[in-house]
Amino acid sequence: MKKRLIFRAEANITIGRGHLSRCLAIADMLENDFEILFVFCVENKSYIDSLNIPYRFETILSDTSFFDLVNQEDIVWLDGYIFDENFKKNLRSRIFKLIETNDLPYKVENVDLLFNHTPGLNEDQFDIVDSEVKLYLGLNYVLLRSAFLEKAKNYQESKTGSGIFVCFGGADTFDLGLRFVKGLLARNFQDPIYWISNKSKEVLLELSANVDVIWGLNQYEMIKHMSKSKILLIPASVLSFEAIALRKPFYSGYFVQNQELNAKGLLKNMLAEGCKNLNTHKDFEEICDDLLNFYFNELKQHEIVSNQKKFIDGNSSLRLREIIKSL
């Protein structure tokens, strides 16, 4: 009988679905080895329903409800910043193993395994209280959807492509996508702009005919639009790792705390251009100009793709399966 692997994460219009997408990628890697279950707060049910995730899920009213749901044979995987140490300590005492994905170095004390695929991190940056915890760090353990990992195994640099792929996630709290699209149009950018957004029709009516606004893409459709673009404009999130898997030149940066370390790692390893704070009105015009200069700098694009080939070999799913199956 398969062990049960329970993912505890959240997704909604405010935080987007980044944590959930990462958990779905892991579930795809492990679905043949475990019984998969997702658990969400009941207030997010309508949003989750709209995503049509391919796994069984249940909703809970509170942490107490979740504790009642688990048993001593379960493996639970947490992804998010809503889980405090008291919750993790209590949960860990009720289950077989507790695993966490986290983007920041922190005090590690109430989990069994920690995955953090931020490029360039090492164990010295963590305050490890529990000597039994195992840390798996860096892009060797990158948690990407299966189609992107398959591309990473044999993907070569593409010399073709036109336009800019723009994506800042479903939430895009600071309207960065809209600001950049308008910034490009103000500079008379004529090539295609593929903007991933769910903005209202009123906003879209203001845009030029070369802006293709798209929403609700699956992983294969994302790959199609990312691949046919010349460069990508994306945050230093999981999207940046997907770009590396596709060997695509991209301009990146951060606008929330958990992206800043990713941005520094991308810059240190010369995997992307930019890597600045994108949510700054003071420097926004300069960043727009920098982005456009990068679009026309094919030598710089080639250098970035050459560096990307040293990272993300597409085999992180095999490494992860071996680790989790050995528990």
Side-chain angles (χ1 to χ4, degrees):
M1 185 176 177
K2 294 181 180 178
K3 273 191 181 299
R4 191 165 60 162
L5 175 58
I6 302 174
F7 291 95
R8 180 72 184 89
E10 293 298 342
N12 55 48
I13 193 64
T14 302
I15 66 171
R17 56 185 185 183
H19 297 294
L20 172 59
S21 294
R22 193 156 53 185
C23 290
L24 287 170
I26 300 165
D28 289 347
M29 296 176 188
L30 299 171
E31 63 177 335
N32 293 328
D33 305 302
F34 295 90
E35 176 190 345
I36 304 295
L37 174 66
F38 281 77
V39 177
F40 308 101
C41 287
V42 67
E43 58 261 34
N44 294 323
K45 185 178 185 302
S46 60
Y47 183 87
I48 302 297
D49 283 337
S50 71
L51 301 178
N52 296 312
I53 70 172
Y55 295 101
R56 184 169 71 89
F57 73 85
E58 296 187 18
T59 57
I60 55 172
L61 294 172
S62 65
D63 290 345
T64 302
S65 303
F66 186 58
F67 294 150
D68 293 338
L69 180 68
V70 301
N71 63 58
Q72 290 288 343
E73 298 299 314
D74 290 330
I75 299 173
V76 174
W77 199 310
L78 305 178
D79 194 323
Y81 303 109
I82 59 174
F83 311 111
D84 62 28
E85 293 304 322
N86 286 332
F87 170 81
K88 288 189 280 187
K89 183 177 181 179
N90 199 342
L91 175 60
R92 192 182 184 194
S93 68
R94 299 166 182 264
I95 60 175
F96 176 59
K97 294 291 182 183
L98 181 59
I99 308 172
E100 183 172 28
T101 306
N102 196 300
D103 296 311
L104 300 169
Y106 71 111
K107 187 175 182 178
V108 187
E109 55 184 328
N110 290 306
V111 296
D112 297 292
L113 285 78
L114 172 68
F115 286 83
N116 185 318
H117 50 199
T118 301
L121 277 189
N122 58 67
E123 290 195 12
D124 292 341
Q125 292 170 267
F126 292 79
D127 180 7
I128 303 174
V129 176
D130 186 343
S131 60
E132 298 298 314
V133 68
K134 295 181 179 179
L135 276 62
Y136 298 95
L137 309 176
L139 292 178
N140 275 340
Y141 304 100
V142 68
L143 305 172
L144 296 183
R145 292 174 286 182
S146 58
F148 287 93
L149 291 178
E150 284 303 312
K151 288 291 186 183
K153 290 177 182 177
N154 300 299
Y155 222 51
Q156 300 298 315
E157 178 179 1
S158 173
K159 299 292 185 181
T160 61
S162 177
I164 302 178
F165 175 95
V166 179
C167 182
F168 286 94
D172 196 3
T173 308
F174 304 109
D175 275 335
L176 289 172
L178 180 60
R179 287 170 60 196
F180 274 109
V181 168
K182 287 186 173 182
L184 289 169
L185 295 178
R187 286 159 177 77
N188 199 32
F189 185 77
Q190 298 293 319
D191 288 352
I193 299 174
Y194 304 103
W195 181 27
I196 312 303
S197 175
N198 63 347
K199 288 296 176 187
S200 67
K201 291 182 180 179
E202 289 75 13
V203 170
L204 306 183
L205 287 173
E206 303 173 13
L207 301 179
S208 171
N210 65 319
V211 181
D212 188 3
V213 185
I214 317 155
W215 183 247
L217 304 184
N218 62 34
Q219 59 181 322
Y220 303 101
E221 293 166 333
M222 282 286 284
I223 288 173
K224 174 185 174 182
H225 284 88
M226 292 170 77
S227 299
K228 72 181 181 180
S229 304
K230 186 175 182 180
I231 69 168
L232 317 179
L233 171 60
I234 52 179
S237 62
V238 173
L239 270 169
S240 66
F241 305 145
E242 292 177 344
I244 295 170
L246 296 180
R247 315 303 185 219
K248 291 296 295 187
F250 65 101
Y251 194 100
S252 190
Y254 62 93
F255 54 89
V256 290
Q257 183 187 13
N258 66 308
Q259 295 173 354
E260 186 172 0
L261 278 176
N262 276 341
K264 289 179 178 179
L266 294 172
L267 185 63
K268 180 180 179 180
N269 292 286
M270 294 180 289
L271 299 172
E273 184 73 348
C275 302
K276 306 171 183 177
N277 183 356
L278 299 179
N279 186 31
T280 166
H281 292 273
K282 177 184 175 183
D283 302 321
F284 183 74
E285 297 301 321
E286 181 181 329
I287 291 172
C288 267
D289 291 337
D290 196 31
L291 167 65
L292 209 52
N293 288 335
F294 178 57
Y295 182 79
F296 293 107
N297 190 339
E298 295 187 1
L299 177 60
K300 185 65 175 179
Q301 295 166 27
H302 175 71
E303 290 175 352
I304 285 173
V305 172
S306 296
N307 292 328
Q308 290 175 354
K309 292 176 182 178
K310 305 169 190 175
F311 295 83
I312 305 186
D313 59 9
N315 293 314
S316 56
S317 60
L318 299 177
R319 298 183 187 101
L320 184 138
R321 284 188 67 201
E322 291 177 2
I323 292 166
I324 306 305
K325 287 176 66 177
S326 68
L327 294 176

